Amino acid sequence: MADDKKRDDIAIEMSDPNEPPAPPRSAPNPAAAVANNPIIPILSYCVSSILMTVTNKFVLSGTGFNLNFFLLCVQSVVCVIAIQTCKTMGVITYRDFNSEEAKKWFPITILLIGMIYTSTKALQFLSIPVYTIFKNLTIILIAYGEVLWFGGSVTGMALFSFGLMVLSSVIAAWADIQHALQNYGHSNNAASDKISTLHAGYVWMLVNCLSSAAYLLSMRKRIKLTNFKDFDTMFYNNLLSIPILLVCSFVVENWSAENINKNFPVAQRTNLMLAMIFSGLSSVFISYTSAWCVRVTSSTTYSMVGALNKLPIAVSGLIFFDAPITLPSVSAIAVGFVSGIMYTLAKVRQSSKPKVVGVPTTNTPISASSQSMRDGLKS
């Protein structure tokens, strides 16, 4: 106690009476503390991803729903209105429309329409868990596309994760077919119809994986020319896709009164329209929370969250819809989940390798996802 008293006396003696008093500390801003808390953007991103998948499945699983182009058009219109409102309120910023930039970006929009249309068709025929598992195959196509066109590389750990992705897809398909045969019988017409539906879903899923890889690889190249950021990409994608989706809907889809009543039964019409609007808003939430996640945490954490997020999305299909809960289906979800984690860890290891000191004699390969993230966030 005596020593403490001496230190207090010394401190008093060393103080300067002419020194002005220190300014009062500003109270912490609760809003800033919430905005910079990494848990909140991560949870927001996960919830928005689940909501969008579930609402899309709800609309597409309606009795004979076949107005997929119209669904996508409504979502694009809602998205443009939402982000324009957010820009007016000062919540987000993006560049104004420019016809020259629109011409450069138009081919990417065409690829996007191919990706999202085939996505709705695959989700229409497949359960959410199977859809989520098969979506992992897009990672393989993108990785080897980067090897061919961007000088990327595939490590042994990444290659092993690709094997797990393929294995999980095979298990999921086998589980689906076995469940159909057990429920409907081997010789029943209902079983044949169910298996035909599954086969159609697998074909649409394959086309979706190819179109998704083409869109993402092409977008990476085009972003370097336009220097688009996240909401620039969203604005141009949705705005340019609206007239194309409208034309495709009126030309390809059946707009007779009978078909409209079939797609939007009177008892469910309001709920379906609200779900379509909500799914469009969810796409805005996903983009906003994605950028929020990267800003508050890091691109590595964001990649890991994306891998972890596939598990709750798959589980949501088991909870909200009639996806079969069997040992093979649960095993497929588990293997697919592990494969996503392993791939993310492989990319983290690859990106954390020490850089070459000095002038390199060859171009150092960089992972596709890392370079795409850099291109998207580059100001």
Side-chain angles (χ1 to χ4, degrees), residues 155-182:
T155 63
M157 188 176 182
L159 193 62
F160 182 70
S161 71
F162 294 163
L164 290 179
M165 291 175 189
V166 174
L167 177 62
S168 65
S169 300
V170 172
I171 296 174
W174 177 77
D176 256 8
I177 294 173
Q178 288 299 313
H179 182 264
L181 292 176
Q182 290 173 5

Side-chain angles (χ1 to χ4, degrees), residues 81-113:
I81 294 174
I83 62 175
Q84 184 61 45
T85 303
C86 291
K87 181 181 180 181
T88 304
M89 296 172 62
V91 178
I92 61 174
T93 58
Y94 57 86
R95 62 185 71 183
D96 295 327
F97 180 80
N98 182 285
S99 58
E100 291 300 320
E101 290 179 338
K103 291 177 183 178
K104 293 178 182 178
W105 197 257
F106 187 75
I108 306 300
T109 302
I110 297 296
L111 292 174
L112 171 70
I113 291 173

Side-chain angles (χ1 to χ4, degrees), residues 53-70:
T53 305
V54 170
T55 50
N56 278 339
K57 182 63 177 177
F58 171 74
V59 175
L60 295 167
S61 60
T63 307
F65 189 87
N66 53 26
L67 297 176
N68 297 54
F69 280 120
F70 176 70

